[in-house]
Amino acid sequence: MDKQVSSRSTSQKALRINLDEKKYGTIVEIGAGQEVARQFFIAGAAAGTIAKTMSAYDMVFSDAIYGVQQDGRYVSKARVQAMMEQEFDLVVDRVGSIRPKSSRYFAYAATVAAKSFNRQNECHAWVGIRIQMYPGAEPSDITVHVRMFDDNAEAQQQALGVLGVNLIYAAYFYFEDPKLMIDSLTDNMKPNRIEIDSIDFKGPYFEDVDNRAKNLHLIRSWKTRAVMFKPDGSVAVPAELLYKKNVLTIRGSFRPVTKLNVDMIEQGQKAFYQLNDVDKDSTAVIAEISLNDMQGNDARVPEKDIVARVQLLNSMGYNVMVSDYTRYFSLRAYFRQYTKLQLGIVVGMINIKQIFDEDSYRGVEGGILEGFGKLFPDNTRLFVYPELDDNGELNDFTKVKVQDHLRFLYRHLLESGFLSGIECSDSELFSIYSREVLKQLPHGKGDWMNSVPDMVAEQIIENKFFGYRDKR
């Protein structure tokens, strides 16, 4: 499923760089051998490219070289950035005055937690490159977080070796097209060996790059299934954001986020915090947007549109997740990779009806029973927001109409506590529809502003999101 960008083999990529005397730098790798450096040595003529290779496995040595790691985490973005910074400065200071003026220097760094011999551990790595895009330029950085799925350390090392060559090659030859760089990172690698769930472009050459949009491309380039953003807009690594956290999530289009959406989240939080060992400090609240339509196909929504929704949700203080998941049990399985604590999913009545629609499980071998078995095996609950029926009467989670042969399944979920009702704080909110807000935006300021939080209205107007036009 990964896109193959270049027809060059890993060795051919390394050799092309080795034969170019203008490209020169350092490769430092900690935690999984020196596989990237090895690829350049195998290709031949590496003396023309590599000033130094190094590993510093012992923490004391690593601290002495790159500074004390205050949080005790050595496989971290902070550590790989310290490695890149120091090694780049060293190579420029030591050879910058004696090498050709046309030289473009780089420092590649990786800090890795590979498969351990005697324990089950999260296998992941931070890798990055600091590079001059042209001679004498201030350097720019590309930093990547990688999860590794091979079941042995040797295979993981080999995968990282290929990735590292791809990153260095892309930084030199594709730097004008960040999407192409992303597409190329898994060249010469079989699918499902690694996952890239975060990428960060930083520095003078990437000043105009929106990291949010480029991280969305990780999904469409089949490098990951989901990316996350913190309230400050920065890209989050899921394993770090969700570590030892309870999770409360709500799926929506949020185009734009309305007062009704906010009430659903807030009412869900109230109910979720009533559970044992669950409170605000121990919970990650996440608004989730799926790129897929109901049939599981990419809806091809422009990245600019998704970024606008992310920005509005972030402005409200929410973490945001964008994924290509269609079914709720797939969403649950994703979170369960990172936390075994309580998981709450806030849904509307329309979502409950979809969950009980057997047509939603086409292609699932066990049908609706398999779907429910995957959705509710442990510490997972749905918090159901009510609706008004056609007669203006309140409909809640106890009044869902299901087919006769599913009524006992529905009753089982109710009596087992897998479904819980939450309240609406103001019945006036039921009259808010995102689609109606969208229709009004091209006409400038108006009644739609009463349907969204003040901060959201301000940003829509300021940034002209979703076709807003100022009619003054």
Side-chain angles (χ1 to χ4, degrees), residues 353-379:
K353 294 170 186 175
Q354 291 168 349
I355 289 171
F356 276 91
D357 182 358
E358 291 184 285
D359 288 341
S360 299
Y361 299 90
R362 288 178 180 175
V364 179
E365 185 176 3
I368 192 170
L369 290 179
E370 179 179 341
F372 275 60
K374 290 180 176 178
L375 181 57
F376 297 110
D378 60 0
N379 291 338

Side-chain angles (χ1 to χ4, degrees), residues 226-247:
V227 294
M228 292 189 178
F229 304 93
K230 298 177 184 178
D232 65 4
S234 63
V235 180
V237 174
E240 297 177 358
L241 182 65
L242 303 178
Y243 180 67
K244 292 186 177 180
K245 289 287 188 178
N246 302 290
V247 175

Side-chain angles (χ1 to χ4, degrees), residues 1 139 149 206 251 255 258 300 311 349 390 423 439:
M1 295 190 296
F149 301 130
F206 298 124
R251 166 173 286 183
R255 190 175 191 265
T258 66
R300 308 310 304 173
Q311 182 171 322
M349 290 288 284
D390 294 339
E423 299 178 353
K439 288 179 182 178

Side-chain angles (χ1 to χ4, degrees), residues 64-256:
I65 299 169
Y66 301 115
V68 176
Q69 200 66 23
Q70 298 294 338
D71 60 5
R73 295 165 58 232
Y74 288 82
V75 183
S76 66
K77 188 175 185 180
R79 176 55 97 195
V80 81
Q81 288 176 330
M83 294 165 68
M84 288 190 296
E85 180 178 350
Q86 175 145 327
E87 295 301 334
F88 183 88
D89 289 347
L90 280 176
V91 74
V92 173
D93 288 345
R94 290 177 178 174
V95 302
S97 61
I98 59 176
R99 284 188 57 80
K101 297 295 185 182
S102 58
S103 296
R104 295 164 60 191
Y105 298 103
F106 74 91
Y108 173 88
T111 175
V112 183
K115 183 75 173 177
S116 294
F117 177 72
N118 58 355
R119 64 187 179 93
Q120 296 293 323
N121 63 296
E122 169 72 7
C123 300
H124 69 117
W126 281 98
V127 303
I129 184 169
R130 172 164 287 198
I131 186 172
Q132 286 179 316
M133 296 307 181
Y134 53 87
E138 288 297 311
S140 296
D141 296 348
I142 307 165
T143 311
V144 175
H145 183 259
V146 185
R147 298 176 69 212
M148 302 169 292
F149 301 130
D150 287 313
D151 61 5
N152 63 86
E154 182 179 0
Q156 291 179 359
Q157 291 169 9
Q158 191 273 339
L160 288 174
V162 174
L163 172 70
V165 174
N166 287 338
L167 178 57
I168 296 171
Y169 188 89
Y172 272 122
F173 295 104
Y174 304 145
F175 62 88
E176 293 181 335
D177 188 346
K179 285 188 176 180
L180 184 61
M181 294 177 66
I182 290 170
D183 292 343
S184 74
L185 291 178
T186 49
D187 279 357
N188 306 303
M189 198 181 305
K190 291 182 179 179
N192 304 318
R193 294 190 65 188
I194 66 170
E195 175 187 21
I196 301 171
D197 58 14
S198 168
I199 189 166
D200 181 60
F201 296 91
K202 183 179 180 181
Y205 198 84
F206 298 124
E207 284 180 345
D208 295 329
V209 171
D210 188 327
N211 276 303
R212 296 169 301 183
K214 297 304 168 280
N215 276 267
L216 293 177
H217 188 66
L218 289 173
I219 303 174
R220 287 178 165 152
S221 187
W222 289 100
K223 301 299 183 279
T224 189
R225 301 293 304 274
V227 294
M228 292 189 178
F229 304 93
K230 298 177 184 178
D232 65 4
S234 63
V235 180
V237 174
E240 297 177 358
L241 182 65
L242 303 178
Y243 180 67
K244 292 186 177 180
K245 289 287 188 178
N246 302 290
V247 175
L248 180 69
T249 187
I250 178 172
R251 166 173 286 183
S253 67
F254 304 112
R255 190 175 191 265

Side-chain angles (χ1 to χ4, degrees), residues 233-380:
S234 63
V235 180
V237 174
E240 297 177 358
L241 182 65
L242 303 178
Y243 180 67
K244 292 186 177 180
K245 289 287 188 178
N246 302 290
V247 175
L248 180 69
T249 187
I250 178 172
R251 166 173 286 183
S253 67
F254 304 112
R255 190 175 191 265
V257 56
T258 66
K259 291 180 178 178
L260 177 66
N261 298 139
V262 172
D263 193 56
M264 291 179 71
I265 296 172
E266 292 179 348
Q267 297 302 321
Q269 286 176 278
K270 288 181 182 179
F272 195 53
Y273 296 159
Q274 297 301 310
L275 301 178
N276 291 334
D277 300 320
V278 177
D279 57 30
K280 182 177 180 179
D281 293 335
S282 66
T283 299
V285 179
I286 301 172
E288 188 256 352
I289 302 168
S290 176
L291 296 178
N292 288 356
D293 59 24
M294 290 302 298
Q295 286 70 47
N297 302 310
D298 189 337
R300 308 310 304 173
V301 177
E303 289 171 353
K304 182 179 179 181
D305 187 290
I306 301 295
V307 168
R309 301 187 223 178
V310 170
Q311 182 171 322
L312 293 177
L313 286 163
N314 283 160
S315 73
M316 297 297 296
Y318 301 125
N319 300 298
V320 182
M321 171 175 161
V322 181
S323 80
D324 67 353
Y325 292 117
T326 302
R327 300 183 176 99
Y328 280 102
F329 67 74
S330 298
L331 189 61
R332 175 212 161 268
Y334 176 82
F335 287 124
R336 282 292 177 243
Q337 296 178 92
Y338 306 105
T339 179
K340 303 302 181 186
L341 301 181
Q342 297 287 348
L343 172 59
I345 304 175
V346 180
V347 296
M349 290 288 284
I350 189 171
N351 304 119
I352 287 293
K353 294 170 186 175
Q354 291 168 349
I355 289 171
F356 276 91
D357 182 358
E358 291 184 285
D359 288 341
S360 299
Y361 299 90
R362 288 178 180 175
V364 179
E365 185 176 3
I368 192 170
L369 290 179
E370 179 179 341
F372 275 60
K374 290 180 176 178
L375 181 57
F376 297 110
D378 60 0
N379 291 338
T380 302

